[in-house]
Amino acid sequence: MTTPLNELPSWIDSATFRLPESSFFRQRVPKDLIVLHATASSTARSVFETWKRPDNGKIAVAYVVERDGRIYEMFPPDCWAYHLGMRTRNPGHYNDRRSIGIEIVNPGPLRPDPEGGDTLNWWPDNFRKPWCLISEEEKYVRREYRGYRYYASYTSEQELAVRRLTEWLCRRFSIPRIAPPATLRDVCDPDTFCRFRGIAAHHNFRPDKFDVGPAWNWDCLLPIATSRPQAA
Ligand SMILES: [Zn+2]
């Protein structure tokens, strides 16, 4: 027997990090977009602790994927919260409302140790917190992108989890299972992406964002036929 689409699958944990109803909008809205984010942190708990605060201003996403591939549902995916932070081209928070956000736990951009050590460091203490050794080449991707040259790798467990989660969400909400075409994958183009239906990234909507970033392996979501953005 398969689980009905409106029932939560057993592989999603909706209890451990459940946000209070004050942390999101309980209004249920149609969904035609999934937006991938990275947490700029090392654990799912870190974003949960921030988002559950009453003064956080309803900034959150419905799903967080831990480094080991565990999937946490933080609020019902047909509800919404602010997660894009767009100052223009987003009337009435249209893109926040129509999308389901998935945060993937990842520290984000890395920098060589400023003291000359053999590590690549992430942002705490002005990039003094070690993430990995420079010799651990599987733990990062080397690529120029938005002012940084190194980005922390996602884990294979996260790739499998995001694939499984997006497959399920696309079926449940009838969202096209398509990624942006290769020429648009890394760019910020709000005019195009405001009309895009499918799976996109935060960096497609804002030029100052590093997530989901160049370390994300879009191919892990295949089979997905890439296509021209479709009008909503
Ligand atoms: Zn983001």
Side-chain angles (χ1 to χ4, degrees):
M1 286 241 308
T2 53
T3 312
L5 275 176
N6 55 357
E7 267 179 38
L8 199 68
S10 59
W11 41 270
I12 295 178
D13 177 346
S14 64
T16 302
F17 296 128
R18 197 67 172 178
L19 287 168
E21 292 193 343
S22 57
S23 296
F24 60 93
F25 294 97
R26 284 184 294 160
Q27 175 191 28
R28 292 169 192 270
V29 285
K31 302 289 180 173
D32 62 7
L33 176 70
I34 291 172
V35 178
L36 302 182
H37 294 261
T39 57
S41 73
S42 58
T43 63
R45 175 175 295 281
S46 63
V47 289
F48 175 72
E49 296 294 338
T50 302
W51 295 345
K52 76 176 186 184
R53 288 166 36 182
D55 62 352
N56 192 48
K58 293 185 184 343
I59 296 169
V61 301
Y63 294 99
V64 180
V65 178
E66 190 68 275
R67 297 293 290 173
D68 64 6
R70 274 178 290 177
I71 300 170
Y72 298 104
E73 185 181 281
M74 298 210 176
F75 64 81
D78 46 355
C79 297
W80 70 284
Y82 301 119
H83 65 106
L84 293 170
M86 299 170 73
R87 293 184 195 282
T88 59
R89 296 188 181 90
N90 197 21
H93 302 284
Y94 162 74
N95 290 299
D96 298 84
R97 293 156 52 97
R98 74 183 180 101
S99 59
I100 299 169
I102 299 175
E103 287 272 4
I104 312 169
V105 175
N106 182 290
L110 304 174
R111 278 186 183 161
D113 180 44
E115 322 293 347
D118 57 358
T119 57
L120 288 174
N121 299 352
W122 60 302
W123 62 265
D125 196 17
N126 199 17
F127 286 89
R128 280 178 169 78
K129 193 175 172 91
W131 179 257
C132 63
L133 295 169
I134 294 172
S135 59
E136 294 175 305
E137 293 183 358
E138 74 285 0
K139 295 199 175 168
Y140 61 90
V141 168
R142 185 174 186 151
R143 212 180 111 199
E144 292 269 359
Y145 188 70
R146 298 191 180 174
Y148 290 88
R149 289 186 294 140
Y150 304 91
Y151 282 82
S153 298
Y154 295 88
T155 67
S156 53
E157 290 86 356
Q158 288 177 314
E159 291 185 354
L160 283 170
V162 175
R163 177 188 174 121
R164 194 178 200 187
L165 179 58
T166 52
E167 276 179 0
W168 177 68
L169 288 171
C170 285
R171 269 191 291 126
R172 178 172 165 187
F173 292 97
S174 299
I175 298 170
R177 266 192 67 211
I178 59 169
T183 52
L184 288 173
R185 245 171 228 182
D186 295 337
V187 305
C188 174
D189 183 351
D191 289 334
T192 295
F193 281 95
C194 286
R195 289 178 285 115
F196 182 75
R197 300 170 63 235
I199 305 170
H202 199 188
H203 67 236
N204 296 134
F205 290 89
R206 282 181 49 184
D208 57 332
K209 286 290 174 182
F210 308 106
D211 64 321
V212 72
W216 178 248
N217 170 25
W218 289 95
D219 291 341
C220 80
L221 303 178
L222 295 175
I224 291 183
T226 56
S227 80
R228 295 265 116 210
Q230 300 174 351

